[in-house]
Amino acid sequence: MDRQQIKISGIVFVGQMVLMILAILSAYYYTRSHDLIPKSILKVPSVHVSRDDLWHIAKIFAGCYFIQISLSLLHLRSHAFASTARFATEYIYYLWAYTTASLYIFIATTINYDAQLVAAIGLFSTILYALSLLSWQIIWLQQPFFKTLTQAIISLFKRFATLSGILALAYFITPLLLGKAFTSDRDVANKITQWRIWFNPVDSTPWGFKNVVPQFKFHQPVIAKPANPFNNTLYVLERFGGVYKVAIEHTKQPEKILDISSLLGEVEIENGAVGLAFNPLDVTSDNQPTRAYLYYTDTRSANTQFNRLSVFDLTLSTQDERLASEKIILQLERVNDGFHNGGSVEFGPDGYLYLGLGEGVHPKKILSLADTLRSGVIRIDVNQQSSNIELATEQPNHIIAQHYRIPVDNPFIGNSKVRDEYWAVGLRNPFRFSFDSTTSQLWLGDVGSTVWEEINRIEKGMHYQFPHVEGLPHADSERNNLGLVEQKPFYTYQHTAYDRAVIGGVIYRGQQLKTLVGQYIFADNYSAKMFSLDPNNQQSEVRFIARANQYAQRGISSVTQLNNGEILITTLGAASEPSGQVLQLVPIEQANVIEDTPDDTPPAGYDEKIVASLFAVNCARCHGVKGDGDGPDAKALGVPLPDFTSPLYHFKTSAEDIELIINKGGPAVGKSPLMPPWGGFLKPHEVEYLAIYIQSLPSKHHHH
């Protein structure tokens, strides 16, 4: 090619890349509101593709196109629109690039594969290519329109009739065949899943975990913390009500010092014992705690559930005496669905007790912050200093409030719309929070619904925007009309199939993990991943640290600190047997916890009570406690949920179908990807038993 031809070819090259980017963007925005492929022709699920995913997809396609256009230009030594015959060859090359990009996204990434989007990219780019060819031939080369169009069609037919054209078409339909096999053949689906895992391993990092109580397995530990900075003793709270005293770096068995299991009723959904704190003023002469503050749920009544904050006397001789010493501080009636209790109980640097309350902590229809305690962080004086405000003797019927005073500097005193106890409001489910030991700043993880998780830096008197904002504004939610100053989240992240429940963490002030000093360390319950972010820079990137050895319903339940500032986590383990652990984040050379590879041999038989608990923990948020599709997150999903209590559902759906959906997720059967794949997270027998349990639901709940 001469210099002029090289210049023209360069211009066309740039033009082709611009066309591809335009095609990708147009396809994305079109398929957000329209189906390119009618559901009657090809049943493919609606897929959420985030903006980040879009740019990842665009880079993959653009990279493949760049290589394809460069190679064809070097090989054929003329640009794509030089003639209709040259365009036909270019289009064959284009099909190879398009199919390669599609396969790469399908097999080698964690992006939800949106068949509508990929098909639209192919169609829109083809249309733009064809229009560009016609424009070039007619405007630049002065060729007649119909002659150019006819020659282009003939050239394409001739080119597809060659061996290379046939191979290109065969390659082009490969993603379609794999997609079909993925949804219908378990072996193929397993193999593709293995490929995806192989292409997307968890990054290796300089950190891992050490089991600090290797001689003992806890029954769903929800938090582990030292009582005070003057001894080397750890206290572990189990969800089922046990409180254990552990001598760190000793091999003797933990000592159970309190058992409140008889106060809990049935431990299911998100219920049970969830929070534990010790008053730094209540210690013996040898620095042992004299009282324990516990936050728990009471489901013993068939009609009414309660959230309760109580204090227990640990100086008494026996467990029975300690249990009988319960002094109720707060008893809050709640809706009977078992969700969104909140959970953190912490004494702040100011000596006051702070408690996180979820938005589910209220009787039906009583939502006003003037009438109940919910959806926020409260601050109370359990030491009852005389300078603080005494409680009113009259309380609403659904609240018991006693044995504390209101700090005089609480932010909502005198506000008739908000109870005096509140420190901050507008939170959905503040399950875990902590105070920075250096700055006293309160950091909180707010568990979200179906799309967003939040990290909040809690300030006095602020409204954190729930329910009208959760990560991003909800289009169908009304604003709280409280006239309060609103505060946006410090950091948010979107759900994936596994990152879906934030566990608020701590500012690291230890010595072992040098590069993490001053960083905020938090976790995700389901994926069991830990992350760090810069608490001084909202724009900083979040860094993956490590992943614990148990995930999903067995995942991380707390992130706390030892007295020396080092980080502890608790992993729940199974609900059916003690298998939870207390782990310390350590440099990788000190780690002794490896990826969990439990025995997949099923137990002796199907235990409906255990499987019902499994369903409640993993499925009820969306599908409802009864399985009728009326869970607390159902409306936010935006897709209809099946009614497992209906005989009609089971007439159309076999046990094998149910197992496939649980294992592979919604896309495996042409349904929404909001139903994530649980294969690999649940044991094979758990999936089988869940299918049996779901099939039994019509007989348990008579459907009319």
Side-chain angles (χ1 to χ4, degrees):
M1 290 188 291
D2 59 28
R3 184 171 297 177
Q4 179 68 13
Q5 289 175 315
I6 292 174
K7 182 179 179 181
I8 292 173
S9 295
I11 293 171
V12 173
F13 186 110
V14 173
Q16 287 178 264
M17 293 301 301
V18 171
L19 289 175
M20 294 307 165
I21 298 299
L22 287 174
I24 293 165
L25 293 176
S26 301
Y28 177 78
Y29 288 106
Y30 179 84
T31 55
R32 293 317 88 192
S33 56
H34 300 84
D35 286 337
L36 181 69
I37 308 170
K39 290 286 197 296
S40 57
I41 297 175
L42 180 63
K43 190 175 183 181
V44 292
S46 299
V47 175
H48 173 72
V49 179
S50 68
R51 296 287 181 88
D52 288 341
D53 287 343
L54 169 63
W55 292 120
H56 193 180
I57 290 169
K59 285 189 286 186
I60 292 169
F61 273 100
C64 289
Y65 289 144
F66 182 88
I67 294 170
Q68 171 253 307
I69 296 169
S70 300
L71 291 177
S72 60
L73 187 61
L74 289 172
H75 178 227
L76 300 172
R77 304 187 65 79
S78 63
H79 65 77
F81 307 135
S83 67
T84 54
R86 170 66 178 83
F87 172 76
T89 300
E90 179 79 10
Y91 192 70
I92 295 295
Y93 290 166
Y94 154 80
L95 287 181
W96 284 94
Y98 168 81
T99 307
T100 299
S102 302
L103 281 174
Y104 183 83
I105 293 168
F106 183 51
I107 292 174
T109 74
T110 57
I111 300 171
N112 282 325
Y113 188 78
D114 186 347
Q116 296 280 3
L117 172 59
V118 173
I121 291 172
L123 178 62
F124 287 13
S125 57
T126 296
I127 291 172
L128 289 176
Y129 251 33
L131 291 175
S132 299
L133 168 70
L134 293 173
S135 300
W136 186 272
Q137 290 285 314
I138 294 167
I139 297 172
W140 187 264
L141 299 180
Q142 303 294 309
Q143 296 294 320
F145 171 78
F146 286 108
K147 179 182 178 182
T148 301
L149 181 61
T150 303
Q151 287 179 342
I153 294 172
I154 293 172
S155 296
L156 281 171
F157 272 108
K158 287 182 177 179
R159 197 66 183 80
F160 280 125
T162 64
L163 178 60
S164 60
I166 293 170
L167 290 174
L169 284 175
Y171 185 52
F172 172 71
I173 65 173
T174 301
L176 298 176
L177 297 176
L178 277 177
K180 173 63 177 172
F182 182 79
T183 61
S184 59
D185 189 310
R186 293 191 185 190
D187 292 335
V188 173
N190 285 334
K191 182 56 66 176
I192 290 174
T193 300
Q194 290 172 11
W195 290 343
R196 287 175 172 171
I197 292 171
W198 186 84
F199 277 110
N200 298 279
V202 173
D203 295 335
S204 59
T205 70
W207 306 285
F209 295 98
K210 177 178 72 175
N211 193 338
V212 297
V213 195
Q215 72 276 19
F216 192 77
K217 294 290 181 68
F218 295 93
H219 196 187
Q220 294 217 304
V222 292
I223 197 163
K225 57 170 56 173
N228 60 66
F230 304 110
N231 60 51
N232 206 29
T233 305
L234 192 66
Y235 293 85
V236 180
L237 172 65
E238 294 179 324
R239 185 178 174 220
F240 289 86
V243 180
Y244 287 86
K245 180 180 177 181
V246 181
I248 303 175
E249 298 176 358
H250 289 77
T251 57
K252 65 180 182 181
Q253 291 287 89
E255 175 193 357
K256 182 182 280 190
I257 60 171
L258 181 63
D259 186 347
I260 67 164
S261 57
S262 60
L263 305 178
L264 302 179
E266 187 173 1
V267 176
E268 59 174 5
I269 318 295
E270 296 172 1
N271 288 330
V274 288
L276 169 69
F278 300 98
N279 190 336
L281 299 180
D282 294 335
V283 294
T284 63
S285 58
D286 59 348
N287 292 315
Q288 297 297 324
T290 61
R291 294 192 290 179
Y293 291 79
L294 269 71
Y295 178 59
Y296 66 91
T297 60
D298 179 352
T299 64
R300 289 174 292 177
S301 168
N303 301 316
T304 308
Q305 291 185 5
F306 297 100
N307 287 62
R308 201 172 283 132
L309 174 68
S310 293
V311 61
F312 297 84
D313 188 345
L314 301 182
T315 64
L316 299 173
S317 300
T318 67
Q319 286 190 41
D320 288 342
E321 289 175 314
R322 295 166 192 165
L323 176 65
S325 74
E326 178 183 23
K327 185 166 66 175
I328 296 173
I329 298 171
L330 285 171
Q331 179 173 288
L332 308 173
E333 185 179 334
R334 59 154 298 132
V335 291
N336 284 9
D337 63 14
F339 292 101
H340 312 158
N341 296 298
S344 258
V345 189
E346 299 288 341
F347 279 88
D350 53 15
Y352 296 129
L353 185 147
Y354 292 72
L355 171 64
L357 296 167
E359 53 93 15
V361 186
H362 63 90
K364 286 184 178 180
K365 299 182 180 179
I366 300 180
L367 299 172
S368 167
L369 299 185
D371 300 321
T372 193
L373 294 170
R374 62 180 291 269
S375 200
V377 175
I378 66 170
R379 176 185 187 242
I380 59 177
D381 172 21
V382 295
N383 299 315
Q384 302 188 73
Q385 301 174 47
S386 59
S387 58
N388 286 324
I389 301 169
E390 289 191 32
L391 279 172
T393 54
E394 294 292 327
Q395 295 289 340
N397 292 334
H398 57 277
I399 291 178
I400 293 176
Q402 57 193 7
H403 306 307
Y404 67 89
R405 292 188 173 210
I406 306 295
V408 292
D409 58 344
N410 269 15
F412 300 111
I413 293 174
N415 186 332
S416 61
K417 295 181 179 180
V418 185
R419 278 186 65 112
D420 293 345
E421 289 94 334
Y422 283 105
W423 182 251
V425 298
L427 299 165
R428 180 180 182 272
N429 193 21
F431 181 63
R432 290 287 174 252
F433 60 71
S434 69
F435 290 92
D436 179 13
S437 60
T438 298
T439 67
S440 299
Q441 178 65 59
L442 178 56
W443 290 90
L444 179 148
D446 196 13
V447 182
S449 180
T450 58
V451 179
W452 293 98
E453 301 296 306
E454 293 184 1
I455 299 294
N456 289 285
R457 186 169 56 191
I458 299 298
E459 304 289 350
K460 174 182 178 179
M462 289 293 182
H463 189 303
Y464 287 84
Q465 304 182 305
F466 182 83
H468 65 274
V469 172
E470 186 185 346
L472 290 176
H474 286 187
D476 59 349
S477 294
E478 297 181 2
R479 301 181 72 84
N480 277 332
N481 187 25
L482 297 172
L484 304 178
V485 178
E486 296 189 355
Q487 180 67 46
K488 294 180 180 179
F490 185 85
Y491 171 72
T492 63
Y493 65 91
Q494 279 187 282
H495 285 195
T496 67
Y498 306 119
D499 293 319
R500 50 188 288 187
V502 67
I503 300 296
V506 298
I507 304 291
Y508 178 63
R509 301 296 182 187
Q511 298 296 320
Q512 286 195 31
L513 316 173
K514 299 294 186 183
T515 60
L516 298 179
V517 172
Q519 296 287 293
Y520 180 69
I521 311 300
F522 67 100
D524 186 276
N525 164 253
Y526 273 72
S527 69
K529 293 177 183 176
M530 296 192 71
F531 306 92
S532 71
L533 63 79
D534 184 348
N536 301 308
N537 181 6
Q538 246 179 307
Q539 308 303 317
S540 66
E541 289 190 7
V542 169
R543 177 168 48 164
F544 168 69
I545 297 176
R547 186 173 73 178
N549 61 327
Q550 300 189 81
Y551 355 93
Q553 84 277 17
R554 304 180 180 91
I556 295 174
S557 52
S558 69
V559 181
T560 56
Q561 284 179 299
L562 290 166
N563 293 325
N564 60 9
E566 300 305 329
I567 290 175
L568 292 181
I569 67 167
T570 49
T571 56
L572 283 171
S576 57
E577 58 185 0
S579 55
Q581 297 175 321
V582 180
L583 309 177
Q584 181 182 341
L585 184 67
V586 294
I588 193 66
E589 59 271 15
Q590 298 178 26
N592 62 12
V593 178
I594 61 172
E595 190 80 2
D596 194 21
T597 54
D599 181 9
D600 282 338
T601 304
Y606 171 84
D607 186 323
E608 185 171 282
K609 185 176 181 180
I610 292 174
V611 181
S613 175
L614 192 67
F615 180 88
V617 169
N618 293 288
C619 313
R621 276 183 60 179
C622 298
H623 292 286
V625 176
K626 295 180 180 179
D628 56 3
D630 191 26
D633 291 344
K635 291 181 180 178
L637 292 172
V639 296
L641 293 178
D643 181 358
F644 297 146
T645 68
S646 168
L648 182 61
Y649 172 81
H650 297 283
F651 177 75
K652 296 179 178 179
T653 313
S654 67
E656 290 76 15
D657 293 333
I658 296 173
E659 286 187 43
L660 178 63
I661 295 170
I662 297 171
N663 266 317
K664 304 304 176 188
V669 291
K671 298 185 182 297
S672 171
L674 291 174
M675 169 61 193
W678 288 95
F681 279 70
L682 295 174
K683 298 178 183 179
H685 74 268
E686 289 177 321
V687 174
E688 178 188 351
Y689 289 171
L690 275 173
I692 295 171
Y693 178 75
I694 289 169
Q695 286 193 308
S696 73
L697 291 177
S699 62
K700 293 180 174 58
H701 308 286
H702 298 293
H703 192 275
H704 300 286

